[in-house]
Amino acid sequence: MRPSGRAIDALRPVFIQPGFARHAEGSALIRMGGTEVLCAATIETRVPSFLRGKGQGWVTAEYGMLPRATHSRGQREAAKGKQTGRTQEIQRLIARALRAVVDLKALGEISVTVDCDVLNADGGTRCAAITGAWVALRLALEKLVRAGTLPALPIKGQVAAISCGLTDDGPVLDLDYREDSAASADANFVLTADGGIVEIQGTAEKDPFTEAQFNTLMRLARTGTAELFRIQTAIVEEALKA
């Protein structure tokens, strides 16, 4: 039995609250078990210098963790004067995931920055951030369409992410911190609703894992993201009706 009592293919309880950051063009507070991430999308009518005059937009992301998001206080990166390598890697991952499902040409010379701030961490923060960031981005771009700034929604599909790992209980879906810290291997799967793969990050913490084990993790990830896509869709539809 897993520490949480869940089945091997069960997600932690997922809750997404759209519009949590009232001043942002689009936002979502996502909770996956004990992990909570606030995702807020900001729209600007300009693009980075390398895209000026090219008629296309840009989507990027920033990621951070509050000092007491973890069991002991972490120093603010602003106080250190620089971001850690982990932070930079995660925010680039989030940005890549979002750009994979946005038509940047259709966006025009508009930039969207999605800030993902971890309020509470209990494993899977980058995956929760990607899943919540898509909701925030979708709602922000809908505002541009409704305002007449864009003729159509420049989103090509949905993206979500989930972690899977090999533990003493075997291959499992959606690791919390307790499982993640003891797993012999773990992987983050960033997938699209039409079956595409954006990125897979997999690591053996102990012995190498086999292709068969990886395929099992992939099947679990497909199961988990299918449920996340369903939740994303329901939340967006409800928010747009409101």
Side-chain angles (χ1 to χ4, degrees):
M1 181 66 68
R2 300 174 68 177
S4 61
R6 287 181 287 143
I8 62 169
D9 60 351
L11 292 171
R12 291 173 290 177
V14 180
F15 168 83
I16 301 177
Q17 181 179 343
F20 188 86
R22 70 184 77 175
H23 301 297
E25 283 78 11
S27 67
L29 174 68
I30 181 168
R31 180 182 303 130
M32 297 186 68
T35 289
E36 293 179 300
V37 185
L38 174 59
C39 306
T42 299
I43 292 172
E44 297 176 287
T45 53
R46 58 186 178 88
V47 292
S49 58
F50 67 89
L51 287 176
R52 288 176 194 158
K54 295 186 177 180
Q56 76 172 64
W58 189 243
V59 177
T60 189
E62 293 192 10
Y63 170 94
M65 191 174 290
L66 294 186
R68 280 318 307 265
T70 53
H71 296 94
S72 58
R73 185 182 186 276
Q75 188 178 8
R76 293 183 188 273
E77 292 185 345
K80 299 177 183 178
K82 64 177 182 178
Q83 292 179 313
T84 65
R86 176 183 183 274
T87 295
Q88 293 180 48
E89 182 263 322
I90 292 175
Q91 63 191 25
R92 289 169 182 161
L93 170 66
I94 298 168
R96 288 194 300 272
L98 297 177
R99 287 196 295 270
V101 293
V102 174
D103 184 341
L104 296 178
K105 283 288 186 182
L107 183 59
E109 294 202 359
I110 290 173
S111 291
V112 186
T113 301
V114 184
D115 290 291
C116 300
D117 292 289
V118 179
L119 311 182
N120 288 292
D122 185 29
T125 61
R126 72 186 67 194
C127 294
I130 290 169
T131 304
W134 183 87
V135 174
L137 176 67
R138 172 69 174 77
L139 294 175
L141 293 178
E142 181 68 32
K143 285 192 174 182
L144 292 180
V145 174
R146 293 189 174 189
T149 304
L150 293 176
L153 197 66
I155 286 188
K156 300 183 290 185
Q158 283 176 256
V159 67
I162 198 67
S163 65
C164 300
L166 301 175
T167 69
D168 290 342
D169 298 301
V172 298
L173 175 69
D174 191 16
L175 285 74
D176 55 26
Y177 176 78
R178 183 174 173 182
E179 288 178 318
D180 186 45
S181 61
S184 60
D186 63 88
N188 298 305
F189 294 83
V190 185
L191 308 175
T192 61
D194 61 1
I197 299 171
V198 177
E199 191 157 337
I200 298 172
Q201 301 175 327
T203 305
E205 303 291 348
K206 297 175 184 176
D207 296 328
F209 55 94
T210 66
E211 183 175 345
Q213 289 172 317
F214 171 80
N215 290 336
T216 299
L217 297 180
M218 186 72 186
R219 286 193 294 271
L220 286 172
R222 293 286 189 197
T223 298
T225 52
E227 177 65 10
L228 293 175
F229 294 136
R230 185 195 66 77
I231 293 170
Q232 285 176 327
T233 299
I235 291 299
V236 167
E237 289 179 351
E238 180 181 340
L240 294 180
K241 288 179 183 177

